[in-house]
Amino acid sequence: RLANDSVWPQWEALFREYRISQIPGGSPPFTDDKTATDAVWALCADAPPPSSKHGWRGRLLVAYSSSVLLGAAHVILQQRPNTATSVAWEAENPHAWRGFLQDIFVAPGASGKGIGRALMSRVFAECQEAGLPEVAWFCLSENASAMSFYGGLGFTPSAATVWNYSEMYDTTS
């Protein structure tokens, strides 16, 4: 389901835990937890940009059991590579945009129970309903559990979808 303000306390705690597990200590992004959580929450809020033909700029999808948050996925609109930089939200070309999966994470106690698979299914459905021609995401090659998860869904890594941390940032200085 789509998140609303009632989700905030559980989502914030889970998102902070996720950030700690995914970002090596001392590595960029250097954004503090509060700034990062506020930015992701604001970006994925359900308020569409003016004249958006897609109807939204970001979605925060959540999985619950009873009243316990089990996982979340953040998907945003992103301009596709090789499209004109002047393409605006109201552009006539619906193929100028794609869904971009920013994050997907599952609570540690819910791992292996199909929550991630269900969230990915919903990400694809949201993007399809919005008329987006593709969904993209990046994954650190060092993240063995994520690489295994995506492989289990039938995806294979490519140079365009897998980042090595050492290639993104100089972590030696």
Side-chain angles (χ1 to χ4, degrees):
R1 71 179 190 189
L2 287 174
N4 58 39
D5 289 343
S6 69
V7 172
W8 171 258
Q10 289 187 64
W11 174 84
E12 181 185 27
L14 189 58
F15 184 68
R16 284 177 187 232
E17 184 177 325
Y18 162 76
R19 276 179 48 92
I20 290 167
S21 73
Q22 297 302 308
I23 300 173
S27 300
F30 296 110
T31 307
D32 63 273
D33 284 343
K34 171 123 178 67
T35 302
T37 54
D38 289 349
V40 170
W41 186 265
L43 184 63
C44 293
D46 202 21
S51 304
S52 171
K53 292 209 182 274
H54 299 291
W56 51 269
R57 65 178 174 182
R59 289 285 200 236
L60 174 54
L61 306 168
V62 293
Y64 265 93
S65 176
S66 299
S67 61
V68 177
L69 180 65
L70 300 176
H74 312 138
V75 62
I76 63 169
L77 286 176
Q78 181 187 63
Q79 192 169 13
R80 293 178 70 202
N82 302 321
T83 58
T85 57
S86 62
V87 175
W89 287 105
E90 64 274 5
E92 291 300 317
N93 180 4
H95 299 292
W97 300 95
R98 67 182 178 186
F100 183 80
L101 178 66
Q102 281 191 306
D103 301 292
I104 184 169
F105 49 91
V106 174
S111 184
K113 297 181 178 169
I115 304 300
R117 185 176 293 273
L119 285 167
M120 282 298 284
S121 177
R122 192 67 202 145
V123 164
F124 290 125
E126 288 283 330
C127 291
Q128 184 177 22
E129 289 169 18
L132 300 171
E134 69 184 28
V135 179
W137 65 90
F138 297 110
C139 184
L140 295 173
S141 61
E142 294 91 347
N143 189 338
S145 63
M147 296 295 288
S148 176
F149 169 71
Y150 296 128
L153 294 174
F155 295 99
T156 55
S158 71
T161 59
V162 178
W163 288 0
N164 292 308
Y165 226 89
S166 59
E167 293 172 5
M168 291 170 40
Y169 305 104
D170 177 9
T171 58
T172 59
S173 48

